[in-house]
Amino acid sequence: MMAHKYTALHHILTHATNILVVAHSRPDPDTIGATTALFHYLAEHEKSVTLTCADPFPQGFDDFLPPYTLTPTQDVNFDAFDVIIGADNIDRGFHSIINTINPHNHVTVGIDHHPHTTLHPDVLITNPAASSTCEILYEFFTHINHTPSKEEASALAIGILGDTRIFHNPNTSAHTLDITAALVDAHAPLTRIIKQAFLTKRLATLHIWGSALKSARRLTPSGAIVSVITHDIIRDKNIPEEELKEELKEVASLLCSVPHTPFALVLIQIDEHTIKGSLRAEKSTHTDTAAIAQLLGGGGHRLASGFEIRGTLRSNGDTWQVV
Ligand SMILES: [Mn+2]
């Protein structure tokens, strides 16, 4: 089923003149890896290609990525492109481009592993069984007999490592590991990427972790562990919101690994009136955290989900209240 879509994409790219590659807003390692790998592949094949994102790429991955230039989305003249490709989480950012342009003037392509996209680009390549968009892109490269360069392989590895949380998440399949092995064969410096791009922590981040871990409490009777990060803790740290959200997920993952914990919830007061929540569960618990997140207007996967509510965290002795 995927093969004919890969053939269609190859045909589109071969005949394209000007290609726009779109990373999703508030970019994560998967969209960064996928779009820079695609950008590099197209540039190497003498295509005129522009890479865009509504937000800047976070630092920390550039040592491993192919050389790229990122054009802020507000500076892009969409009329100049005959092909526009969104890679990863295409409901975040790419949707506003698709809804702005004249559909008759462009071929649009979406590549994604998220199951519930509401977008209808001309070609939609989705595979919910894939760990990441980078995994799908690797399969596309394989289909067209393109062996990734060292930099492309590194970019794809960054996406897989990011979305599997270094092979901790249950979306890590045998196939994911096979692909990662192939990327190492293609000279991606896997252990160096893990250490340098994923396992380094800023001191400010560790302070937030310390505070979150200290506040962790087990709720009765559910046994769930809840932790809060108040606004005082993050106010002067100058950590971008996207990075804070990533930390929130990591703390929740750590807390849910405590034995006999059906799920972990970490709440963070992101600004005076907004609280973000991150829910995590281990597979063996059979908890559906997405159902909990949905009750609070959020969503996600069974084992990893999140939500955002308006309110303020207030300490109430040993417990916390949202007011
Ligand atoms: Mn992804």
Side-chain angles (χ1 to χ4, degrees):
M1 179 204 146
M2 298 297 281
H4 76 268
K5 295 212 169 179
Y6 293 148
T7 303
L9 176 58
H10 191 213
H11 182 84
I12 290 166
L13 295 179
T14 306
H15 295 277
T17 311
N18 262 316
I19 304 166
L20 181 66
V21 177
V22 183
H24 69 66
S25 53
R26 291 174 283 124
D28 71 351
D30 192 24
T31 200
I32 293 170
T35 56
T36 56
L38 200 53
F39 176 87
H40 189 253
Y41 164 77
L42 293 169
E44 290 288 291
H45 285 76
E46 259 90 70
K47 293 291 173 184
S48 162
V49 53
T50 299
L51 173 61
T52 188
C53 186
D55 302 303
F57 283 0
Q59 305 289 299
F61 301 108
D62 285 358
D63 283 354
F64 303 105
L65 295 172
Y68 65 88
T69 311
L70 187 64
T71 307
T73 302
Q74 72 259 26
D75 298 346
V76 173
N77 170 21
F78 300 111
D79 294 338
F81 300 96
D82 50 343
V83 175
I84 302 179
I85 307 175
D88 197 40
N89 238 319
I90 55 172
D91 288 322
R92 258 163 73 179
F94 185 59
H95 72 286
S96 57
I97 295 175
I98 275 209
N99 295 335
T100 314
I101 58 172
N102 180 341
H104 303 294
N105 296 344
H106 316 267
V107 175
T108 53
V109 180
I111 309 173
D112 206 344
H113 64 118
H114 293 87
H116 301 301
T117 177
T118 51
L119 279 193
H120 301 286
D122 298 315
V123 177
L124 179 61
I125 300 178
T126 53
N127 179 7
S131 68
S132 52
T133 298
C134 282
E135 191 174 312
I136 300 174
L137 198 56
Y138 176 82
E139 294 195 319
F140 167 67
F141 284 155
T142 306
H143 182 79
I144 62 171
N145 292 318
H146 169 66
T147 304
S149 68
K150 179 182 176 178
E151 287 93 348
E152 288 163 11
S154 302
L156 296 178
I158 283 170
I160 291 173
L161 290 166
D163 270 18
T164 62
R165 213 171 55 85
I166 320 180
F167 313 124
H168 282 54
N169 285 353
N171 61 358
T172 311
S173 66
H175 191 55
T176 310
L177 297 175
D178 282 343
I179 289 174
T180 309
L183 296 174
V184 173
D185 273 343
H187 308 290
L190 191 72
T191 51
R192 218 152 53 77
I193 294 173
I194 292 173
K195 278 191 199 142
Q196 274 184 43
F198 287 94
L199 296 183
T200 54
K201 290 268 174 243
R202 306 190 211 190
L203 187 58
T205 302
L206 293 179
H207 287 155
I208 293 173
W209 273 59
S211 166
L213 297 177
K214 203 171 153 196
S215 80
R217 296 282 180 278
R218 196 186 280 284
L219 299 184
T220 49
S222 68
I225 294 180
V226 178
S227 162
V228 301
I229 302 168
T230 57
H231 199 58
D232 313 349
I233 306 297
I234 59 167
R235 187 176 287 125
D236 305 317
K237 300 272 195 307
N238 276 326
I239 299 178
E241 186 177 322
E242 190 59 23
E243 215 176 305
L244 278 174
K245 273 180 65 191
E246 286 306 311
E247 295 308 326
L248 195 65
K249 293 178 193 169
E250 287 204 39
V251 174
S253 296
L254 183 61
L255 293 176
C256 84
S257 71
V258 176
H260 313 297
T261 303
F263 67 89
L265 166 64
V266 179
L267 296 167
I268 186 166
Q269 185 81 49
I270 213 97
D271 61 42
E272 305 297 335
H273 309 289
T274 315
I275 299 167
K276 281 186 191 285
S278 189
L279 288 149
R280 288 291 183 278
E282 296 284 354
K283 198 173 186 181
S284 59
T285 63
H286 306 293
T287 309
D288 183 1
T289 70
I292 304 171
Q294 276 159 20
L295 289 174
L296 295 159
H301 306 277
R302 283 176 51 85
L303 303 177
S305 60
F307 57 85
E308 184 175 313
I309 50 175
R310 287 188 63 77
T312 310
L313 288 162
R314 285 278 150 74
S315 171
N316 193 354
D318 206 33
T319 59
W320 290 88
Q321 252 186 326
V322 175
V323 295

